[in-house]
Amino acid sequence: MSELLEKEQNQETFGWAARDPSGILSPFHFHRRTNGDFDVTIKILYCGICHSDLHVVRNEFGISLYPVVPGHEIVGVVTQVGDKVQKFKLGDKAGVGCFVDSCGKCKHCKENLENYCPKAITTYTTAMFNGDTNKNYGGFSDIYVVNEHFVVQIPDTLPLEGAVPLLCAGITVFSPMKYFGLDKPGMHVGVVGLGGLGHVAVKFAKAFGMKVTVISTSERKREEAIQHLKADHFILSHDSEQMQCGGVGWHSGHSFCSTSIDAISGPVEHRWEANTVECIKFGQTSGSECCASACCKNDAGRKGIGGSSGGGMKETQEMIDFAAEKEIIADVEVVSMDYVNQAMERLKMGDVHYRFVIDIGNTLHAH
């Protein structure tokens, strides 16, 4: 591996890019590298819009390198394979998520945790990972070239537009659930925030057989959480009485969550309120909270705090296969490429149910 940015850039490619912190996207011609021996070329059919894409095109993390072609939830069809490719053949459905290269030699890589490799390369360039000497562009484009190791096989039973967000939102919540041992029937998890990550977290948790309490600032999310997503309980985070009893009621003999998954990905750093952590098995000293989004500040007492950043390739494939088995897909609104700037504005306002997906295959046309 580690050959991603070293090859000749000569495949003509078309996409949409932001040129400055306004974040306005417009048509952009560029080049991908030649398909190498271990590479596959993917004709992109769908690409999700993640809140991280909004952060990066507007340089809200302070690490953007313009021009930026965003998009790290990519699904398409394999159109070219290298001579030494073993996993894929022409016509296979394939997906690319947040990471597209790593050193392949460190402890993390050897443990199938490429996402924690210090030399990991993300789907599109940011200064945080690979400086300003190399450039790679994301999935708001017609093709993607990548080492087969960083590509997942998409089962035929998964609708592509609904599967796309799983490559970021899905693995971001699936990985900590597995790591913290929540994939067992009878566990009780709280999902903080009911958006792109949160609604997928509820679906995976229910598929694992867990009891789920959705914690939100918005009363309007109650019906959606209970009726549509089949969460067991719903509580308002600004209601201290609900938070202390977990919205379940001690008189009924229930306790609250053993673990809470923070699935909020807003435009700025946010703080876990003390009562959000305190509501984990209220009145007891133990429990854990996992931040599965942009890291937050908090005061947790003796409660355990964990973090999670995506997942490795082996676990991502496991997640996709599990989603196919349990018929889990994201709730999406499919939009055309020329609607992307309006979609970004709506995303900023939280006006999406729950994830935008761009129909690249039918609506991206070279100008």
Side-chain angles (χ1 to χ4, degrees):
M1 287 176 267
S2 296
E3 56 190 25
L4 175 66
L5 300 170
E6 299 174 2
K7 298 178 181 179
E8 183 180 0
Q9 311 283 311
N10 66 3
Q11 289 203 62
E12 291 188 7
T13 308
F14 177 70
W16 281 46
R19 272 72 167 194
D20 57 54
S22 71
I24 300 299
L25 294 140
S26 58
F28 178 61
H29 291 269
F30 60 101
H31 290 82
R32 299 281 188 201
R33 73 174 191 267
T34 301
N35 196 97
D37 288 344
F38 295 95
D39 289 336
V40 298
T41 297
I42 299 170
K43 174 181 172 54
I44 300 174
L45 299 179
Y46 295 98
C47 186
I49 303 178
C50 175
H51 219 121
S52 296
D53 297 321
L54 179 62
H55 294 324
V56 172
V57 297
R58 299 186 178 188
N59 199 25
E60 292 172 345
F61 291 143
I63 57 174
S64 301
L65 298 172
Y66 296 100
V68 173
V69 177
H72 56 265
E73 299 173 340
I74 300 167
V75 165
V77 176
V78 174
T79 58
Q80 188 176 353
V81 296
D83 291 341
K84 297 182 181 180
V85 168
Q86 298 181 352
K87 288 170 51 180
F88 295 93
K89 63 182 184 303
L90 297 181
D92 282 353
K93 297 175 183 176
V96 177
C98 302
F99 297 93
V100 293
D101 203 5
S102 67
C103 75
K105 300 176 181 179
C106 70
K107 177 179 182 291
H108 298 300
C109 288
K110 290 180 179 179
E111 293 178 353
N112 300 303
L113 295 171
E114 300 90 346
N115 50 311
Y116 296 116
C117 173
K119 295 184 179 180
I121 294 177
T122 51
T123 314
Y124 51 86
T125 303
T126 59
M128 179 182 292
F129 285 93
N130 46 315
D132 59 0
T133 58
N134 298 306
K135 196 74 184 177
N136 57 304
Y137 298 102
F140 288 19
S141 56
D142 53 3
I143 64 170
Y144 204 90
V145 183
V146 60
N147 186 298
E148 68 165 334
H149 180 80
F150 292 88
V151 185
V152 297
Q153 298 166 319
I154 306 297
D156 289 335
T157 56
L158 275 179
L160 297 185
E161 63 271 30
V164 164
L166 301 182
L167 294 166
C168 175
I171 187 59
T172 298
V173 296
F174 181 90
S175 183
M177 285 183 184
K178 297 286 288 188
Y179 180 79
F180 288 102
L182 301 179
D183 55 336
K184 301 175 181 64
M187 297 289 288
H188 196 164
V189 66
V191 175
V192 184
L194 192 62
L197 272 68
H199 91 286
V200 175
V202 174
K203 291 187 178 190
F204 276 119
K206 295 301 293 183
F208 283 134
M210 286 189 272
K211 293 185 180 298
V212 180
T213 295
V214 171
I215 305 168
S216 175
T217 61
S218 175
E219 176 63 33
R220 65 183 176 85
K221 297 287 185 76
R222 182 184 298 273
E223 182 176 354
E224 181 70 12
I226 301 297
Q227 299 299 323
H228 174 60
L229 296 173
K230 308 302 180 185
D232 298 279
H233 306 286
F234 178 93
I235 63 177
L236 290 171
S237 61
H238 54 75
D239 187 318
S240 59
E241 183 177 350
Q242 287 188 40
M243 292 296 288
Q244 287 183 356
C245 71
V248 179
W250 287 100
H251 66 276
S252 61
H254 296 294
S255 63
F256 188 43
C257 316
S258 56
T259 298
S260 182
I261 301 290
D262 184 345
I264 298 173
S265 180
V268 295
E269 173 182 272
H270 69 280
R271 178 186 177 89
W272 289 324
E273 297 182 46
N275 60 356
T276 302
V277 179
E278 284 299 321
C279 74
I280 300 171
K281 285 195 171 181
F282 180 70
Q284 300 185 29
T285 57
S286 62
S288 61
E289 169 93 15
C290 175
C291 182
S293 60
C295 286
C296 329
K297 295 180 180 179
N298 87 94
D299 300 303
R302 199 180 179 188
K303 307 296 191 301
I305 303 295
S308 183
S309 176
M313 297 314 302
K314 181 179 179 180
E315 190 172 48
T316 302
Q317 186 67 63
E318 178 187 350
M319 178 273 302
I320 285 289
D321 293 341
F322 181 79
E325 176 189 348
K326 300 296 184 179
E327 300 182 337
I328 296 172
I329 57 173
D331 292 3
V332 303
E333 180 179 337
V334 179
V335 300
S336 62
M337 189 70 245
D338 61 7
Y339 187 77
V340 67
N341 288 307
Q342 294 96 313
M344 287 288 194
E345 283 297 322
R346 287 179 55 193
L347 178 60
K348 181 181 179 181
M349 301 300 294
D351 179 24
V352 56
H353 185 86
Y354 281 101
R355 202 71 152 189
F356 285 117
V357 170
I358 306 171
D359 184 352
I360 298 288
N362 292 314
T363 68
L364 177 64
H365 306 296
H367 290 62

